[in-house]
Amino acid sequence: MGLLSLAIWTPIAFGALLLAFGRDDQARMVRWIALIGSLIGLAATLPLLGSFDNGTAAAQFVEKMLWIERFNVHYHLGLDGISFWFVPLTAFITVIVVIASWESITERVNQYMGAFLILSGLMIGVFSAADGLLFYVFFEATLIPMYLIIGIWGGPNKIYAAFKFFLYTLLGSLLMLIALVYLYNQSGGSFDIATWHQLPLSARAQTLLFFAFFAAFAVKVPMWPVHTWLPDVHVEAPTGGSAVLAAIMLKLGAYGFLRFSMPIAPDAARQWAWLMIALSLVAVIYVGLVAMVQKDMKKLVAYSSVAHMGFVTLGFFIFNDLGVSGGLVQMIAHGFVSGAMFLSIGVLYDRVHSREIAAYGGVVNTMPKFAAFALLFAMANCGLPGTAGFVGEWMVILGAVKANFWIGFAAATALIFGAAYTLWMFKRVYLGPVGNDNVRGLLDISAREFLVLGVLAVAVLYMGLYPRPFTDVMDVSVAELLKHVAQTKLQ
């Protein structure tokens, strides 16, 4: 079994084991098995770090075998500089979520942990797939465990949120399936994604394909105006579900633009870039303003995620190296920062059972260690230099200015809005005198919570102070992608 297969199927195997044999009276053992499975899954990705060659855009760690002979479908895996970092990031976040959910989940623990481990393997499969149908299977399969996580362990309106999440993402993906079948026929019966990249297509075909992929990936990001499912889902999802959704699942859509939309329909991508840029700017500016008026901490951070992901799509569709690399770096950084923000909210919710900003005040007086972590993550969410949140956004703004000064100027205003809503929330929740008796009785974070937040803090600071390991991996692949997109493929 190759390294990528090991990274995909190890957490899935452990998740299936928990679903089959775990019971609530064995909750302690279930948690330890889940932790061991997630750690082994993370360990399976570590050899990739030392073996990846930064000097080539070709796929590495390739595995290929015939899967469905009749339709020429292959189990085909591989990583390039664009997809590389998302594999260890997914495995890392899974470990964090398992530890963070150690005490907060007390019912159906085996199903909860099993769903997360299976989801982890499926998401790694999305980033690794080099066969179009295999990609689609992994992409759609991620909906099932997340749907269950929201629908079973969510809040009072969990069923509504779970259905909304499932329907939005499924309906968009159906158009993508039609596009994949069309490409299969046009390529003479191949699902190989690299083969699709070389297909000459008419302008009309490229436009239809571009919007078919847009329907699937824009909903997943989510881009404005198809973002409305995200705040509802975040509010109702358990803390671990929100962390994984924000840190990893949103990236599946943005990744799809780079793997399918831009290289398969480059002429259409250039033609409709103005629309993608406009929608991205609406996300970073308008949605940032919407975040300011939120009373629920989770909903505020959810809208913040829409705004931050707007930077990603903006960077992709200005078609220069700074923009695309910045978008990728922003995806990775957002994985650390948004995950940390939601887990911090979970720490408070586990104690007070409220996400309302008004339910707190003066938390720093009773939880000084926790408040220090929360301040770091808030600053990273603002894009403070020296944190992970700064690097990608700064690169995208530089790339946008390089393409068009006014686009860059408009994007830069989002940093002001981001600082405004994040710091205002921090002020009302953490600073000032103790707000009420609930806050007065709070206990500071436990050793387990300190470990989770401490590891994320190290990641946020390391990426902010030394981003080169992240950017060096993607440089050659990004340059090759931009070269490919610049060439016309009109039939």
Side-chain angles (χ1 to χ4, degrees):
M1 183 179 288
L3 289 175
L4 290 178
S5 287
L6 201 61
I8 292 169
W9 296 108
T10 296
I12 292 176
F14 272 90
L17 178 69
L18 291 178
L19 292 179
F21 299 109
R23 300 194 307 269
D24 277 352
D25 59 356
Q26 301 170 326
R28 179 178 174 82
M29 182 182 72
V30 164
R31 293 186 182 102
W32 279 105
I33 292 173
L35 178 59
I36 292 168
S38 63
L39 286 170
I40 293 175
L42 176 60
T45 69
L46 297 182
L48 302 173
L49 300 176
S51 305
F52 190 82
D53 181 2
N54 295 348
T56 177
Q60 301 177 50
F61 314 109
V62 174
E63 302 174 38
K64 188 174 183 178
M65 64 182 73
L66 193 60
W67 178 26
I68 306 174
E69 183 176 0
R70 181 176 179 183
F71 298 106
N72 195 29
V73 182
H74 288 80
Y75 177 78
H76 188 186
L77 306 175
L79 293 181
D80 63 5
I82 290 171
S83 57
F84 172 76
W85 273 110
F86 298 107
V87 172
L89 175 64
T90 302
F92 170 76
I93 292 295
T94 302
V95 174
I96 293 295
V97 166
V98 168
I99 299 173
S101 305
W102 202 263
E103 294 178 357
S104 59
I105 301 299
T106 56
E107 296 181 352
R108 299 181 177 178
V109 179
N110 67 306
Q111 297 173 27
Y112 182 86
M113 295 296 186
F116 269 112
L117 289 174
I118 291 171
L119 178 61
S120 174
L122 294 174
M123 291 189 296
I124 291 174
V126 173
F127 293 120
S128 305
D131 180 278
L133 190 62
L134 183 66
F135 174 91
Y136 183 81
V137 169
F138 280 131
F139 189 83
E140 290 299 279
T142 59
L143 299 182
I144 300 170
M146 183 54 76
Y147 173 80
L148 295 174
I149 289 166
I150 299 164
I152 296 175
W153 295 275
N157 294 318
K158 58 189 178 184
I159 302 301
Y160 166 78
F163 267 97
K164 193 171 184 180
F165 161 75
F166 195 89
L167 290 177
Y168 263 72
T169 48
L170 178 65
L171 289 175
S173 298
L174 291 177
L175 289 176
M176 178 174 71
L177 179 59
I178 295 171
L180 298 182
V181 172
Y182 174 82
L183 290 167
Y184 171 78
N185 289 326
Q186 288 296 111
S187 62
S190 174
F191 278 107
D192 183 62
I193 297 174
T195 300
W196 291 351
H197 288 180
Q198 306 304 322
L199 282 178
L201 299 165
S202 67
R204 182 171 179 270
Q206 286 196 40
T207 299
L208 291 174
L209 287 169
F210 181 83
F211 281 104
F213 289 129
F214 174 86
F217 301 141
V219 170
K220 204 81 162 186
V221 169
M223 295 180 69
W224 183 90
V226 289
H227 68 290
T228 56
W229 63 269
L230 186 67
D232 291 329
V233 169
H234 271 310
V235 167
E236 299 303 325
T239 299
S242 289
V244 168
L245 180 64
I248 307 297
M249 283 199 76
L250 303 189
K251 313 306 182 290
L252 303 182
Y255 172 75
F257 281 121
L258 293 184
R259 189 60 76 215
F260 288 87
S261 304
M262 292 167 62
I264 291 174
D267 299 282
R270 295 196 303 271
Q271 179 185 354
W272 293 99
W274 65 270
L275 176 63
M276 301 298 293
I277 290 170
L279 294 178
S280 300
L281 288 175
V282 170
V284 298
I285 298 172
Y286 166 72
V287 177
L289 291 171
V290 172
M292 285 189 191
V293 300
Q294 300 306 313
K295 299 178 180 180
D296 184 299
M297 287 187 286
K298 260 195 170 186
K299 190 166 278 192
L300 186 150
V301 178
Y303 279 112
S304 169
S305 289
V306 177
H308 286 303
M309 291 302 292
F311 270 99
V312 173
T313 50
L314 174 64
F316 290 171
F317 284 90
I318 55 179
F319 298 118
N320 60 39
D321 54 349
L322 272 173
V324 177
S325 296
L328 283 167
V329 171
Q330 173 68 0
M331 287 166 70
I332 301 165
H334 184 257
F336 294 133
V337 177
S338 65
M341 293 287 287
F342 280 112
L343 290 173
S344 296
I345 294 170
V347 168
L348 292 175
Y349 183 81
D350 288 344
R351 288 160 168 77
V352 180
H353 301 294
S354 175
R355 296 181 300 267
E356 294 293 319
I357 295 173
Y360 297 91
V363 171
V364 68
N365 297 287
T366 52
M367 301 180 72
K369 294 177 184 177
F370 171 63
F373 282 122
L375 178 61
L376 170 63
F377 300 140
M379 290 298 177
N381 202 53
C382 296
L384 181 75
T387 65
F390 172 77
V391 183
E393 292 183 358
W394 180 241
M395 290 173 70
V396 170
I397 290 172
L398 288 178
V401 169
K402 183 178 175 182
N404 182 296
F405 172 79
W406 293 110
I407 293 175
F409 177 80
T413 61
L415 295 179
I416 301 171
F417 298 142
Y421 59 69
T422 304
L423 294 180
W424 193 30
M425 179 184 73
F426 184 86
K427 172 184 177 294
R428 289 178 288 170
V429 173
Y430 294 94
L431 302 183
V434 173
N436 52 57
D437 290 339
N438 286 333
V439 175
R440 189 172 289 108
L442 290 177
L443 296 176
D444 213 341
I445 50 177
S446 65
R448 175 183 57 82
E449 292 168 328
F450 189 93
L451 172 65
V452 169
L453 298 179
V455 170
L456 285 169
V458 170
V460 167
L461 289 172
Y462 178 79
M463 187 173 183
L465 296 171
Y466 190 56
R468 279 197 63 183
F470 300 91
T471 57
D472 285 355
V473 165
M474 61 188 67
D475 285 345
V476 176
S477 293
V478 167
E480 188 66 25
L481 172 68
L482 290 172
K483 180 181 175 182
H484 177 85
V485 173
Q487 299 170 350
T488 185
K489 286 176 58 183
L490 289 175
Q491 192 173 43

